[in-house]
Amino acid sequence: MKQKLAFASLLIASTMLVSPEALAQVAAPTPPSVPAADPNTSAEPTQDETQDVEVSAPGFDADAGEEIVVLGRHIPDVVRATPQIVSVLSSEDIARTGEGDIAGALTRVSGMSVVGNGFVFVRGLGDRYSSSLLNGSPLPSPEPLRRTVPLDIFPTSIVGSALVQKTYSVNYPGEFGGGVINLTTLAVPKESFLQVGGSLAYDSATTNQFGYVYDGGRLDSLGYDTGERDVPDFIRAGGLTTNVFNSAQAAQLTNAETTLVLQNNNIPANWNGELSAGHSFDLGGVRLGLIASASLGNSFRTRDAIQQESDDAAGALRSDFRTVLTDNRITANGLIGLGAEFGEHRIRWTNLYIHDTLKQARMGTATVYNNNTADRVLQQNTNWFERQLIDTQLTGEFKFGDFSVDLRGSYANTKRNAPYERFFSYRFDSVRGAYVNSLNGLGESATVAFSELDENLWSGQADLSYRLPMFSTPVTVSAGYFYSDAQRTSTRLDFRYRSFDNGSIPSPASYLRPDYLLSIDSIMGACPNPTTVTAEAGCIRLFNLSNAQGAAQYDASLKINAGYAQIEGEIVKGVRATAGVRYEKGVEFVTTNSALFQGTQLDNGYWLPAATVTWNFATDMQLRAHASKTIARPQFRELAPQVYRDFESDRLFFGNPQLIDSKLLNFEGRYEWFFGRNQRFTAAGFY
């Protein structure tokens, strides 16, 4: 159970923030006289007051519903505008939820769920079948081992709308499973604003409770390393080729700051501070706008877990650990957007920065484990996962009467650095009543790993649409082209501490705590070494295991070229349909530095048709039917034969180069009854 206490929340609204033009006093026009109603005349249902919803998505036309005649006053305009199964939260809807971020607001949409730290899934289908777009362009995750982005980084004050489309249409990428979430940032704010907020949260399972921490660096509380975890030059130079590093080199690694786990009986409270602002003004015939937001948060979570493993058909346990781990998550986010509106045209330039760090300390103990000698074993981990996303995108939406052109381009860079992933395993010596680690590998070991991942994503899209004027009912044809190019390099270097002769280090050094065990004195003199060669001197060395459990390095690429054509219109009165086809070709490959762990290549092209029909058969009631074919490609991490640690599940995973693309057939039927303003009843089946 968590209790959240508001620490500070301040909304500043002042005439100082308003353009001078907006201060001019204009007399309200005199309302026209209203003729008396004829009691013998029945009034037709009128449309409720509409909301101007700002949506920036591929091929989306917010004006498409204006010429559509529907039965009922309560069907929202955005639902009128497309036959697809969509849910849209306007800025007004988002404000009414009272949530501070868009992830919380989306939980009010049926079929949406938030998992972990702000990851939003559609239809509950998980990370593999959900995707996110920002202003219609791909939004990569700051965690390159996932597909989705944590949406709790977007404050509601800068979001113009959140569109959730649960049925596939060919103007979206072919990798479509449960649905897609498209966030639209404000291009030009309707009015200037400045909002400052903060929170202090108490977690009854963690705050002021028992947990584990370790020192790290001076700015760990802000999520940035100050050099304590820099990878030594000798590892960068020889990590892929050198089998053993000598004692003098092993002694250069940062020690106590990354090895000594401390017990903390009063884990701090969680806090967060954020600021968002927006301003708009006129320059000639152009309306210009600026939005900006920044936030910084620090939170703790302690978990008490039972971790069991079995490789026996009868279910006999191979290991049975009781583990306590404390996660310290620090996030720093920023967004700056510039927008311009002139006539029916709109341009926006959006820049996003996300820095998400997880600092983890972990202790686990067991009497059932590999190489069990019936003695209790104690295992310790310290981890630092630093992830960063920099994304910039330019969008232009131009409308020339019945002809519309949308242009999008974006670049994103994601990084994931995990230096000094340290692991220690001690065995309890019942004779001496103390834990021992002789580094012999039999329940007694010490390892360290360094991993780095860097990925660049370029994407571009052009969408053209034309409303055919020769038909009595509105018919729109559209076509588009999409291109993306993702390039990734990932390196993981694993090392084990052993004595120079691969034996056991003697006591008393083997009974020392981790920072003393790997101190300079222990590394150089814990055991006698008769060599007279200076470079060979010392007791403890660093043995390279990087290619033993997978490829130490891999390069990956995914290039996609796609084109589509689509037609949308009213077939007969009350029946609308959208039908189209997309051809998408993807070339994906993974290459490794290992002769044992090979990569793979997937080169496939697909025709992906989709059709949706909506029948407005009664007042405020609709039936929808949908069918489509989509795909799901394996992610780089799923294909690459490299070990990686998922800090959420606290488990190690390994990719499988034998995976291939999945082909999906999707069908859905839905009944909708809009029985009141902002009220609906829905019954649906999805296959």
Side-chain angles (χ1 to χ4, degrees):
M1 176 181 178
K2 295 184 179 181
Q3 299 175 343
K4 192 171 183 179
L5 307 177
F7 172 66
S9 182
L10 177 63
L11 176 63
I12 302 176
S14 167
T15 55
M16 295 178 63
L17 301 175
V18 181
S19 302
E21 295 86 344
L23 299 178
Q25 300 297 315
V26 181
T30 304
S33 58
V34 180
D38 185 351
N40 297 320
T41 304
S42 61
E44 290 290 327
T46 59
Q47 174 70 21
D48 281 347
E49 183 180 356
T50 61
Q51 295 181 357
D52 183 15
V53 182
E54 183 176 348
V55 178
S56 178
F60 185 86
D61 184 4
D63 298 329
E66 293 183 355
E67 300 179 16
I68 303 298
V69 178
V70 298
L71 298 176
R73 68 172 66 186
H74 299 305
I75 300 178
D77 280 354
V78 177
V79 176
R80 296 169 184 259
T82 174
Q84 303 298 335
I85 298 175
V86 299
S87 297
V88 178
L89 293 178
S90 66
S91 56
E92 291 83 359
D93 297 329
I94 294 170
R96 279 195 295 268
T97 66
E99 299 287 348
D101 58 71
I102 198 63
L106 283 172
T107 59
R108 311 302 177 93
V109 178
S110 61
M112 308 295 290
S113 56
V114 178
V115 179
N117 298 311
F119 292 97
V120 179
F121 296 154
V122 183
R123 301 187 193 269
L125 291 180
D127 182 76
R128 181 176 175 83
Y129 300 103
S130 298
S131 59
S132 301
L133 303 177
L134 181 63
N135 298 323
S137 293
L139 182 60
S141 175
E143 171 54 74
L145 303 180
R146 307 186 69 132
R147 285 175 55 90
T148 53
V149 65
L151 298 184
D152 58 354
I153 65 172
F154 294 96
T156 56
S157 56
I158 67 168
V159 177
S161 69
L163 180 147
V164 180
Q165 182 165 319
K166 299 178 182 178
T167 53
Y168 175 65
S169 56
V170 297
N171 51 305
Y172 283 109
E175 289 190 76
F176 194 103
V180 63
I181 301 170
N182 184 84
L183 300 183
T184 300
T185 57
L186 295 172
V188 178
K190 295 180 181 178
E191 57 185 19
S192 300
F193 66 90
L194 173 62
Q195 184 170 337
V196 181
S199 66
L200 186 67
Y202 172 84
D203 183 341
S204 58
T206 301
T207 308
N208 284 331
Q209 302 296 321
F210 171 89
Y212 290 118
V213 297
Y214 71 96
D215 183 22
R218 297 185 301 276
L219 293 181
D220 280 11
S221 60
L222 299 180
Y224 293 89
D225 182 62
T226 50
E228 291 81 4
R229 299 180 182 87
D230 286 350
V231 181
D233 292 338
F234 72 88
I235 287 184
R236 289 195 179 277
L240 295 174
T241 56
T242 303
N243 293 325
V244 182
F245 291 108
N246 61 36
S247 298
Q249 291 171 316
Q252 296 179 32
L253 270 64
T254 302
N255 183 22
E257 295 91 336
T258 61
T259 59
L260 184 59
V261 173
L262 304 173
Q263 175 180 321
N264 187 333
N265 293 320
N266 300 104
I267 295 295
N270 305 331
W271 59 267
N272 179 76
E274 61 183 34
L275 180 147
S276 57
H279 184 56
S280 59
F281 59 94
D282 293 312
L283 182 63
V286 180
R287 184 72 173 170
L288 300 176
L290 168 68
I291 59 170
S293 72
S295 67
L296 180 65
N298 190 312
S299 62
F300 287 85
R301 179 178 63 158
T302 298
R303 291 176 283 172
D304 189 344
I306 295 176
Q307 297 177 308
Q308 298 175 332
E309 179 184 353
S310 175
D311 58 2
D312 182 75
L317 292 179
R318 183 168 177 256
S319 65
D320 185 6
F321 276 86
R322 174 72 179 273
T323 302
V324 175
L325 62 160
T326 300
D327 296 334
N328 180 200
R329 184 185 181 217
I330 311 100
T331 57
N333 307 311
L335 183 145
I336 296 178
L338 301 175
E341 294 179 349
F342 47 100
E344 294 190 78
H345 313 309
R346 179 177 291 165
I347 297 175
R348 70 182 85 216
W349 180 32
T350 308
N351 302 275
L352 177 65
Y353 171 79
I354 303 174
H355 192 271
D356 192 342
T357 300
L358 187 82
K359 181 181 180 182
Q360 185 181 79
R362 175 184 180 276
M363 284 281 194
T365 183
T367 55
V368 178
Y369 55 93
N370 300 348
N371 300 316
N372 189 3
T373 60
D375 294 326
R376 180 173 295 276
V377 68
L378 176 67
Q379 295 184 350
Q380 169 191 305
N381 296 76
T382 53
N383 299 306
W384 173 269
F385 303 102
E386 188 173 356
R387 296 148 294 168
Q388 178 178 285
L389 166 66
I390 297 176
D391 180 70
T392 182
Q393 54 180 238
L394 185 63
T395 301
E397 298 164 329
F398 309 98
K399 193 166 186 179
F400 308 93
D402 292 331
F403 182 66
S404 299
V405 179
D406 289 357
L407 301 174
R408 290 178 168 80
S410 70
Y411 165 75
N413 173 263
T414 54
K415 297 181 185 295
R416 183 185 191 267
N417 294 328
Y420 286 94
E421 291 183 59
R422 286 198 177 273
F423 168 80
F424 292 88
S425 181
Y426 281 74
R427 180 182 57 83
F428 186 74
D429 184 348
S430 57
V431 176
R432 298 195 179 187
Y435 282 98
V436 60
N437 188 351
S438 63
L439 304 180
N440 62 15
L442 302 176
E444 305 171 31
S445 61
T447 64
V448 63
F450 302 85
S451 62
E452 293 182 351
L453 185 150
D454 187 272
E455 180 175 325
N456 292 300
L457 172 64
W458 296 88
S459 69
Q461 182 161 349
D463 300 277
L464 309 176
S465 63
Y466 180 62
R467 189 174 302 179
L468 301 177
M470 69 282 298
F471 295 97
S472 58
T473 58
V475 175
T476 301
V477 294
S478 57
Y481 170 76
F482 172 80
Y483 171 80
S484 73
D485 182 3
Q487 304 285 337
R488 173 183 291 188
T489 297
S490 178
T491 303
R492 180 180 175 88
L493 304 175
D494 290 273
F495 303 93
R496 170 171 289 176
Y497 291 91
R498 296 293 297 266
S499 66
F500 71 95
D501 58 357
N502 268 325
S504 301
I505 65 171
S507 62
S510 58
Y511 287 87
L512 297 176
R513 70 189 196 191
D515 57 326
Y516 291 163
L517 177 66
L518 298 183
S519 66
I520 295 179
D521 291 340
S522 296
I523 289 176
M524 300 304 298
C527 55
N529 186 343
T531 184
T532 58
V533 180
T534 302
E536 299 296 327
C539 173
I540 300 174
R541 296 180 182 174
L542 210 55
F543 289 76
N544 197 335
L545 306 178
S546 299
N547 283 307
Q549 296 180 333
Q553 185 178 70
Y554 75 84
D555 295 315
S557 172
L558 173 59
K559 292 185 179 181
I560 298 175
N561 286 274
Y564 74 88
Q566 180 175 265
I567 185 169
E568 177 182 336
E570 192 170 18
I571 304 174
V572 295
K573 185 177 180 180
V575 179
R576 296 185 65 203
T578 296
V581 64
R582 181 185 186 94
Y583 179 76
E584 184 165 304
K585 181 177 178 60
V587 179
E588 183 175 14
F589 71 81
V590 174
T591 59
T592 74
N593 72 322
S594 171
L596 179 61
F597 300 97
Q598 295 291 315
T600 186
Q601 178 169 330
L602 301 174
D603 186 349
N604 298 308
Y606 301 95
W607 290 99
L608 305 173
T612 304
V613 178
T614 299
W615 179 25
N616 181 206
F617 66 94
T619 301
D620 289 319
M621 295 185 185
Q622 295 186 149
L623 286 176
R624 297 180 187 262
H626 169 81
S628 64
K629 178 183 177 181
T630 58
I631 58 173
R633 295 185 179 90
Q635 301 174 53
F636 292 148
R637 67 169 177 84
E638 295 173 321
L639 290 172
Q642 186 181 82
V643 174
Y644 72 92
R645 177 177 292 276
D646 178 24
F647 52 79
E648 284 292 333
S649 62
D650 192 34
R651 292 190 179 277
L652 293 174
F653 289 86
F654 189 83
N656 180 6
Q658 303 301 316
L659 296 178
I660 60 174
D661 297 344
S662 300
K663 294 177 280 291
L664 312 175
L665 293 177
N666 314 288
F667 303 95
E668 179 160 356
R670 177 176 294 243
Y671 164 75
E672 298 172 326
W673 175 27
F674 300 87
F675 56 87
R677 181 177 175 85
N678 298 320
Q679 301 177 72
R680 72 173 68 183
F681 170 80
T682 301
F686 168 73
Y687 172 79

